[in-house]
Amino acid sequence: MLYPFIAMQQGAVDREGRLEDAATIRAERDSLAAFLVGQANLAAENRRLRGLLGMRERLPNSFVAAEVMPFQGAAAPGIFMLTVGAEDGVRPGSAIVTAQGLVGSVREVYRGYSIAGNWTNPDLRASAVSEDGETYGILAPHKRGDEQLLALTSTALHTVPKPGTVIVTSGSGATYPRGIPVGTVVDTASEASSWQRIYLVRPFVSPGEMAHVLVLGAPKEGATERDLAAAWGIRLREG
């Protein structure tokens, strides 16, 4: 007579146990997923740090390694803080790079930290040249839809760089030494005028890859490189 009731009780216990097992499995799965995400971020960070270590050996300039921190308070786009300042030898106007290429420049320097801007900042201007030495122009931020790019402006009409052409800093001006990779040409802007063409450049360094950077200083004593292109394995040609 009691068998049906015992069976129902046993079934309820079994279902409760299965639910507990499922909850445990879900918790373990979520923990594993979080761990794997953390490991992927750590692996990416390690790759960036190894790239910076390799770049340090090739640079003919002195440098200061720094970590990028979010800017506290209201700021223009592309503004961030660096964990190094005047006591580390950082100076206003110093160029900032990663193992992939140009990040931006230092704007303000304080004793233990600095304020800097990357290539997405509306105030950025950098003179640039194509790897083949044929096309010169001025780089400025440009937005195409949701994609943040750079526009190479003030270029001569007789030079037409092909898509994929590497663009580097030309060394004109006091901020960016010659030869720092910036990006590759991807398209021609629609607002080209009758006296110049405007080319869109996709930068090598995305904002998400700016966690650790190098702040460039003066050339090392005795350095023979006239520009920095060789540090990135780029062979600049004269147009």
Side-chain angles (χ1 to χ4, degrees):
M1 291 175 61
L2 295 176
Y3 179 78
F5 300 101
I6 295 173
M8 288 177 62
Q9 183 182 14
Q10 185 63 43
V13 170
D14 291 343
R15 283 195 298 274
E16 185 177 353
R18 285 195 293 270
L19 289 174
E20 290 179 354
D21 290 343
T24 301
I25 292 172
R26 282 196 297 270
E28 291 176 349
R29 181 199 63 191
D30 294 343
S31 297
L32 179 59
F35 174 77
L36 291 176
V37 169
Q39 289 295 100
N41 292 337
L42 184 61
E45 184 175 346
N46 284 339
R47 285 195 297 271
R48 288 194 292 267
L49 290 174
R50 283 197 297 270
L52 281 182
L53 287 174
M55 180 56 58
R56 291 169 60 171
E57 304 303 320
R58 301 193 298 269
L59 282 174
N61 283 51
S62 61
F63 59 85
V64 178
E67 186 176 354
V68 172
M69 304 291 289
F71 189 83
Q72 303 298 322
I79 298 297
F80 57 90
M81 295 176 62
L82 294 172
T83 56
V84 292
E87 61 186 13
D88 303 292
V90 176
R91 297 290 180 265
S94 298
I96 304 171
V97 302
T98 70
Q100 287 71 45
L102 181 70
V103 171
S105 64
V106 177
R107 298 164 66 98
E108 302 174 22
V109 177
Y110 301 91
R111 181 178 178 184
Y113 69 97
S114 305
I115 307 298
N118 62 34
W119 58 261
T120 67
N121 183 262
D123 294 333
L124 179 131
R125 296 293 184 274
S127 59
V129 61
S130 58
E131 185 180 11
D132 58 12
E134 294 291 338
T135 306
Y136 282 80
I138 303 296
L139 289 167
H142 179 92
K143 201 160 188 178
R144 183 177 65 174
D146 294 331
E147 186 178 16
Q148 186 71 50
L149 301 170
L150 288 167
L152 183 64
T153 66
S154 302
T155 61
L157 283 174
H158 68 277
T159 63
V160 184
K162 297 177 181 178
T165 300
V166 175
I167 301 298
V168 304
T169 53
S170 68
S172 298
T175 300
Y176 303 108
R178 180 177 172 86
I180 301 175
V182 178
T184 55
V185 174
V186 294
D187 202 355
T188 303
S190 59
E191 59 265 30
S193 69
S194 59
W195 61 275
Q196 68 165 344
R197 287 190 175 93
I198 300 175
Y199 299 96
L200 299 183
V201 176
R202 180 171 291 120
F204 289 127
V205 184
S206 68
E209 296 174 327
M210 299 179 185
H212 299 89
V213 298
L214 297 178
V215 183
L216 296 185
K220 292 178 182 176
E221 191 173 337
T224 58
E225 296 288 348
R226 296 185 60 186
D227 58 55
L228 304 185
W232 278 273
I234 294 175
R235 194 185 191 100
L236 278 177
R237 296 187 293 276
E238 294 296 332

